[in-house]
Amino acid sequence: MDFKEAYKNANNSIHADRALIDRIYIKAQQQKKTKVINYSIFGSLAAAAAVFVLVFNAINMGSGKINGGETYVAHGDLKARVATEEIKTAEKTEKNVPNDTADLTLKQEQNSKAAVESTDIKTETVQEDVRYDTFNTTSSAVGSLSGASDIAMAGIEYEESMEDAFSPYESYTANEYYDYIGSDVISVAKIPSDMKFEKFNGADITKDENGSIIADTGTFIAYDALKEKSITIEVTKIPQMTRGAALNDTDGLKTVQIVKDDLIYTITAFNVTDGEIDELVASLQQ
Amino acid sequence: MPKTDCADVFDADAIIEKYFDTVYRLALSQTRDTHKADDIVQDVFVRFMKTDKKFESEEHIKAWLIRVTINCCKSMYTSSWFKKTVPLSDELTFELPEEHDVYYAVAKLPQKYRTVIHLFYYEDLSVNQISKYLDTKESTVKSQLHRAREMLKNILGGGTEYGF
């Protein structure tokens, strides 16, 4: 039996607990209900507030207190401006509608408006929620759902829509990555020599070429922990040291700081047990 | 082909039923902990049921599920309590000793190697597909597969009987 067959057979004999499926439906349903309840409460509050403002305005109109609203505006209160505008609108409406039906008409209009607002709020909240999910999944501030939808609408091909849906990279701080790699880290400080022309946060990262020694090659991913942005670096030469840069060794992590235009780029290199530098974590300080 | 909500075209129940074990097996290979794998499975499918993602095909859904599973596992790595995770214990039983040996040999690999081995040998994904799923270069995947095989050889005592 070859490896593939043995590994496939082994996996095929593993089955998830079917009770999980029920829990998935329940959890999904619960989350859905929570949303609906939130919308209902928010929508009700918005509607109630709108009705209150309408009734208040209508009473004011009936009492001839429009001037009071204008006095507020003179004090520069934004809320008062809005109130005055509403009163003016009501005044116009009042001219066209008999007094005894004005309240009812205004209430109907406002309720209708509140319903639309409630719908808008619901839509926005759903979008935010999905964005949050996307961020949870991706841990990366790359695009938003609306962006993804736009791309999907534009008919961009499969791969690009995948890009938007999935996390390009997880963003780790040096300590998190160290925790993740754990005892695998043995590490020697190695900085890619060809970073000289790499753009990072819109700035060139410079590196002194003196002392460069060819040590390893490969592809490295650098993470900007602050902006959760990443760059891919093709490494052809790795120097031992970078002149003028401080080389630190903390808890098995080797870091080098490169100063450029008053910005400090901190690059941390990891070297796993099999000798391959796995990933770089870069951060930016001002 | 117009993109539509998965609920419109794809039967969510059937998708969950079909890929339930796929996600679980991948999660277990990543977390090496049955309870955490359960949590990941739950998380992934709840996301699936909530997503507004436009899926083009069932293959697209499968790709999405695999990516989200890997990402959920990665998120777990960064959490503080994950550090307490112990390697997979011998709680799984297999029909043949070879299956046991191979499965636990893979479980001993570092996480990134477990990922590529699982996707390559179990999911039958090509290097190109894996590189897309993991958003990395093909050369990196090839390198990781090579190193993983070397490690497996050592763990399996040469691995000649497994075709290495």
Side-chain angles (χ1 to χ4, degrees):
Chain A
M1 186 183 293
D2 68 4
F3 175 83
K4 184 174 182 175
E5 187 182 356
Y7 188 67
K8 267 185 177 280
N9 289 346
N11 271 282
N12 285 335
S13 65
I14 296 171
H15 299 283
D17 180 2
R18 312 311 285 181
L20 261 179
I21 294 179
D22 292 335
R23 295 216 293 272
I24 289 164
Y25 282 113
I26 290 168
K27 193 173 176 182
Q29 197 62 33
Q30 280 173 343
Q31 291 185 6
K32 203 174 177 181
K33 276 182 185 170
T34 306
K35 267 190 196 173
V36 171
I37 289 167
N38 288 341
Y39 301 147
S40 302
I41 291 171
F42 201 74
S44 302
L45 287 175
V51 169
F52 175 77
V53 169
L54 246 294
V55 171
F56 181 75
N57 286 344
I59 290 170
N60 277 351
M61 281 187 296
S63 310
K65 289 182 180 175
I66 293 174
N67 286 340
E70 289 172 347
T71 306
Y72 264 131
V73 175
H75 286 88
D77 188 317
L78 183 60
K79 283 184 180 174
R81 278 181 193 275
V82 173
T84 304
E85 286 302 315
E86 285 173 346
I87 289 167
K88 285 178 179 172
T89 306
E91 190 180 18
K92 286 177 186 172
T93 310
E94 193 180 19
K95 288 175 184 172
N96 299 326
V97 180
N99 279 341
D100 55 351
T101 58
D103 279 3
L104 180 61
T105 308
L106 286 169
K107 277 182 187 175
Q108 283 172 341
E109 282 178 3
Q110 196 60 44
N111 278 335
S112 172
K113 188 183 173 190
V116 171
E117 285 172 352
S118 177
T119 307
D120 289 344
I121 289 164
K122 182 177 176 179
T123 306
E124 285 170 9
T125 311
V126 169
Q127 285 180 342
E128 282 172 11
D129 186 57
V130 177
R131 281 179 197 153
Y132 177 71
D133 270 359
T134 306
F135 274 75
N136 263 357
T137 308
T138 64
S139 301
S140 174
V142 181
S144 65
L145 184 74
S146 57
S149 299
D150 290 343
I151 290 169
M153 293 282 199
I156 305 295
E157 288 308 314
Y158 176 75
E159 281 178 30
E160 288 182 84
S161 60
M162 291 274 290
E163 287 280 324
D164 277 327
F166 304 125
S167 166
Y169 306 109
E170 288 289 337
S171 179
Y172 300 100
T173 64
N175 283 335
E176 282 173 343
Y177 193 78
Y178 179 68
D179 286 342
Y180 162 39
I181 296 295
S183 58
D184 284 339
V185 173
I186 55 172
S187 185
V188 177
K190 292 173 181 175
I191 304 302
S193 64
D194 60 350
M195 285 186 73
K196 184 176 179 182
F197 302 108
E198 285 289 340
K199 291 282 183 184
F200 194 71
N201 270 350
D204 286 326
I205 296 177
T206 56
K207 193 190 66 55
D208 196 311
E209 290 165 350
N210 289 343
S212 295
I213 295 172
I214 298 172
D216 200 352
T217 61
T219 302
F220 299 83
I221 308 295
Y223 297 91
D224 177 359
L226 294 180
K227 295 195 174 180
E228 295 183 331
K229 204 173 173 182
S230 59
I231 56 173
T232 301
I233 305 163
E234 282 293 341
V235 177
T236 52
K237 293 179 182 178
I238 300 177
Q240 271 189 329
M241 289 282 292
T242 301
R243 192 176 64 181
L247 188 64
N248 304 308
D249 183 351
T250 308
D251 296 332
L253 301 177
K254 304 288 182 180
T255 61
V256 64
Q257 290 190 329
I258 302 166
V259 182
K260 164 81 173 174
D261 297 335
D262 296 329
L263 297 176
I264 302 170
Y265 298 88
T266 303
I267 315 291
T268 304
F270 300 91
N271 193 357
V272 294
T273 45
D274 57 2
E276 178 192 33
I277 290 182
D278 187 51
E279 287 172 82
L280 299 170
V281 174
S283 61
L284 185 65
Q285 290 175 291
Q286 222 161 354
Chain B
M1 177 178 167
K3 297 177 181 185
T4 49
D5 286 329
C6 68
D8 293 340
V9 175
F10 301 103
D11 180 354
D13 294 352
I15 294 293
I16 292 174
E17 184 63 38
K18 184 169 182 180
Y19 294 108
F20 191 57
D21 283 330
T22 299
V23 170
Y24 179 74
R25 287 161 189 158
L26 177 59
L28 185 60
S29 79
Q30 299 296 291
T31 62
R32 297 182 293 192
D33 182 301
T34 52
H35 300 296
K36 290 184 178 63
D38 285 349
D39 292 341
I40 296 287
V41 169
Q42 190 168 304
D43 195 10
V44 169
F45 283 112
V46 168
R47 283 170 192 271
F48 173 70
M49 292 178 74
K50 286 168 61 188
T51 186
D52 290 336
K53 176 79 187 152
K54 310 289 185 189
F55 292 108
E56 295 173 335
S57 62
E58 192 179 318
E59 188 59 31
H60 191 184
I61 293 176
K62 183 182 178 184
W64 187 90
L65 290 171
I66 288 176
R67 281 295 297 265
V68 172
T69 304
I70 291 169
N71 288 331
C72 285
C73 292
K74 279 185 179 175
S75 297
M76 190 176 276
Y77 300 145
T78 58
S79 62
S80 57
W81 51 265
F82 184 77
K83 285 180 261 181
K84 296 171 186 169
T85 299
V86 293
L88 192 64
S89 60
D90 275 348
E91 60 187 278
L92 300 172
T93 53
F94 300 99
E95 194 176 333
L96 299 172
E98 292 92 336
E99 295 167 7
H100 176 279
D101 292 347
V102 162
Y103 191 84
Y104 281 94
V106 173
K108 286 176 184 171
L109 298 176
Q111 180 268 332
K112 65 178 179 180
Y113 297 135
R114 294 199 304 274
T115 306
V116 293
I117 286 288
H118 188 87
L119 296 180
F120 188 80
Y121 285 107
Y122 183 69
E123 293 297 339
D124 286 325
L125 298 180
S126 66
V127 169
N128 178 268
Q129 284 174 308
I130 295 172
S131 71
K132 284 177 183 166
Y133 285 21
L134 302 180
D135 201 15
T136 188
K137 295 205 169 190
E138 283 188 46
S139 58
T140 304
V141 175
K142 283 178 187 169
S143 163
Q144 289 179 345
L145 275 172
H146 175 72
R147 290 173 190 279
R149 289 189 195 106
E150 291 298 314
M151 287 180 172
L152 285 169
K153 267 189 213 174
N154 291 332
I155 295 169
L156 295 167
T160 48
E161 67 267 41
Y162 297 107
F164 285 120

